[in-house]
Amino acid sequence: MAQALLEALNLEVHYGGISAVKGISFVVEQGEMVCLIGANGAGKTSTLKALARMLPCRGEIHYGAERIDALPSHALISRGLALVPEGRGVFARLSVAENLAMGAYHRTSDRAGTADIGKDMDRIYGLLPRLAERREQLAGTLSGGEQQMLAIGRALMGRPKLLLLDEPSMGLAPIVVQKVFEVIRSVAADGVTILLVEQNARLALETCARGYVMESGKITLADSAAALLADPRVRAAYLGE
Amino acid sequence: MDIFLQQIVNGLTLGSIYALVALGYTMVYGILGLINFAHGEVVMVGAMVALMVMKALAASGLPAPIIFLIALFAAAIACMALGFTIERIAYRPLRNAPRLAPLITAIGVSIVLQQMAMIIWGRSYHSVPQLLPSENHEFFGAQITELQVIILIVAALTMAGLMLLVNRTRLGRAMRATAENPAIAGLMGVDANRIIAMTFLIGSALGALAGVLVSANYGIAHHHMGFILGLKAFTAAVLGGIGNLGGAMVGGVLLGLIEALGAGYIGDLTGGILGSHYQDVFAFFVLIVVLVFRPSGLMGEKVSERA
Ligand SMILES: Nc1ncnc2c1ncn2[C@@H]1O[C@H](COP(=O)(O)OP(=O)(O)OP(=O)(O)O)[C@@H](O)[C@H]1O
Ligand SMILES: [Mg+2]
C-alpha cells in the first residue's frame, strides 16, 4: 500500500476579499503521478503556490511526516519539494548554467553536497541537450520551450522527491509539448512523485494515473485518469466533445 | 602645471570614492527597489568612527598606517552594524508596503542619523590626522599625492573583489537571482532576508571605506558630510543606471571627472564670475540631465524577459 507523500486538508487561499481556493482536500501518494485540471481561474496556480508556501493559506498541508503549512518557502527544497512555476520563472539575467546552479543552491551550503553537483548538471544536459549547447547563454534569450526545459532542469538540480508542475505546456507548440512531457515522464520513471497542473486536460489525464478536477476554487471530481477520460462531464467541459 | 591632467587625477580620485558609495545605493536598489537615502549617513558614521579611533590611538605609539588600518576596520564594523540595524528595524517591516513608505522612512532615518551624529560629535569640522603617506609627486606636469595613488588602488581592488563576489560566488549568484525574482529564488532555498541583510552589510562596508578615504583625502570630517556625498553618489548610481554594479562604478568615476574638470575650467568658462567652489553644481546638473534624457542611465538596459 502506497503512502501519502503530500496531503492537503481544507486548503483555502484568499486574495483580500476574493477567495480563490475554497477548502479543498487531496492526496498525492509516494511515486504517483497526479494531475489537477481545471479552466482559467479555477484556482490551480493558487493551490500550487500555497503548497509551495508562496502564499498565505488556511488549512493543513502534510508532507511526509511533517506539517509544512507554517514553513517559509525557502525551507521546502531541502525537504525535497520543488515547484516549476507557471510562466517558468527562469532567471533571465543569469546564464543557463547559473540557473541550473541556483537549482542546487541548497545542496551547496556544505562542501559535501557540492561534490556531485557537476555530475547532476551533466545528467541534466544529457536529458536536455538543447540546454547543453546554450549553457553560457542568458536564460532570458532562450525560446519558450527552452525556458520550460530549463525551469524543469533547474528544479531537478535540487533532487526533489515531489515535483509540482504548473502548466508546463503553456504557450508551447505541440511538438515541444511532446518533448516536455517526455521529460516529465522520464523524471517520474526515476521515482520522483509528480503533481501536475494542466489546462490541457487530455494530455494531463493521458500522462497521469489519477486526476482531480477543479472548478471555481473547489474540487468537483476525483478519480483515476481513465475514469475521468471516460466521464461525460469531463468530456464535455474539458475535452471539447 | 597642466590643469587638464591635474583635474583628471583629482577627478579619478574623487570618482573612485563616489563609485564606492554609489555601489551601496545600487546594490540595495537592485535587490529591494529602494533608494536607501540613509546610506550617505552610514558613510559619514564611517568617517567619524574612524576619526575617533585615530584620536584614541594617537598616543599609543603604533605606526601611523597600523592606526589607520585599525580605524578603518572599526569603521567597517560600525557601519555594517548600522546598515544591518537600519534594514532590520526601518525597512524590513515595510517590505510589502507601497513604495513611498520605505522611501520616506529612508529620508527619516537619514535625518535621525545626522542629528544623532551632531549630538555625539558636535557641529564643528574635525581635522583628520594624516596617517598615510601623502608626499607629492610630479606626474607629467600634474601633482599626484601618494594618498591619491593609495585611494585609487584600494578602490580599484575593492571593486574588482566585489565584482568577483557578485559574479563568481554562490552568494553573488543568489544575490543576483534574488534581485531578479525573490519568490522564485526562495523556491531554490534562498532566504531572501539573509541575502538582503548581506547586501546591506557589504554596501555598508564599502561605505565605511569610502568615508575613511574621503576624510583622509580632504583631511576633514563633519556630521553632515554624508548628505552631499550621498547625493552625489546617488547621482553617480543614476548616471550609471541604478541597479547596475558596473554602472555605479562607471558613473562614479565619470561624475568625479565631470566635477573636477568643471571646477578646473568654470572660472575660464564664465569669465571669472563663477569660481571652483561651484563644483557641486555639476553633480546636480548631471542628475537633472540624466533624469530628463536617459532615466535608465548609461548601462541601465536590462535583458528583456521573454514570455
Ligand atoms: N494576486 C492576486 N490577486 C487577486 N486575485 C488573484 C490573484 N491571483 C489570482 N487571483 C484570483 O484567484 C483566482 C484563481 O487564480 P489562479 O491563478 O489560481 O487560477 P488558475 O486555475 O491557475 O488559472 P489559469 O489556468 O488561468 O492559470 C482567479 O479568480 C484570480 O483572479
Ligand atoms: Mg494558473
Side-chain angles (χ1 to χ4, degrees), chain A residues 11-30:
Chain A
L11 191 68
E12 291 178 34
V13 177
H14 303 272
Y15 299 101
I18 304 167
S19 94
V21 177
K22 300 167 183 163
I24 63 173
S25 302
F26 58 90
V27 235
V28 180
E29 280 164 10
Q30 184 82 52

Side-chain angles (χ1 to χ4, degrees), chain A residues 52 54 73-74 77 83 85 88-94 98 101-103 105-106 108-109 138 140-143 147 154, chain B residues 167 170-171 173-174 176-181 183-192 195 302-307:
Chain A
M54 298 166 82
S73 180
H74 63 82
I77 184 65
L83 166 67
R88 294 111 198 187
V90 298
F91 300 112
R93 279 173 275 159
L94 269 56
E98 286 182 316
M102 277 310 296
Y105 178 82
H106 74 99
T108 48
S109 51
L138 291 185
T141 64
L142 296 178
S143 78
Q147 288 192 6
R154 183 178 62 180
Chain B
N167 291 320
R170 171 179 187 264
L171 172 65
R173 198 160 52 220
R176 285 179 290 137
T178 305
E180 196 173 321
N181 193 332
I184 304 285
L187 290 174
M188 321 277 111
V190 180
D191 180 354
I195 297 295
K302 288 169 184 161
V303 182
S304 66
E305 273 162 85
R306 288 170 57 169

Side-chain angles (χ1 to χ4, degrees), chain A residues 223-240:
Chain A
D223 214 329
S224 73
L228 288 174
L229 276 168
D231 190 305
R233 286 166 294 180
V234 175
R235 297 179 78 93
Y238 301 105
L239 303 178

Side-chain angles (χ1 to χ4, degrees), chain A residues 107-176:
Chain A
R107 295 166 55 197
T108 48
S109 51
D110 58 286
R111 289 277 158 247
T114 320
D116 34 34
I117 284 176
K119 254 186 266 164
D120 279 12
M121 216 178 267
D122 289 339
R123 201 171 56 84
I124 302 286
Y125 285 139
L127 187 67
L128 308 166
R130 289 182 72 86
L131 296 184
E133 298 159 22
R134 294 168 171 74
R135 49 185 93 187
E136 297 310 322
Q137 196 171 321
L138 291 185
T141 64
L142 296 178
S143 78
E146 290 157 359
Q147 288 192 6
Q148 188 63 64
M149 298 289 191
L150 178 57
I152 295 173
R154 183 178 62 180
L156 294 179
M157 286 298 292
R159 292 207 174 160
K161 296 195 196 91
L162 171 63
L163 189 59
L164 312 176
L165 289 153
D166 197 347
E167 292 204 41
S169 76
M170 189 167 73
L172 303 183
I175 181 147
V176 183

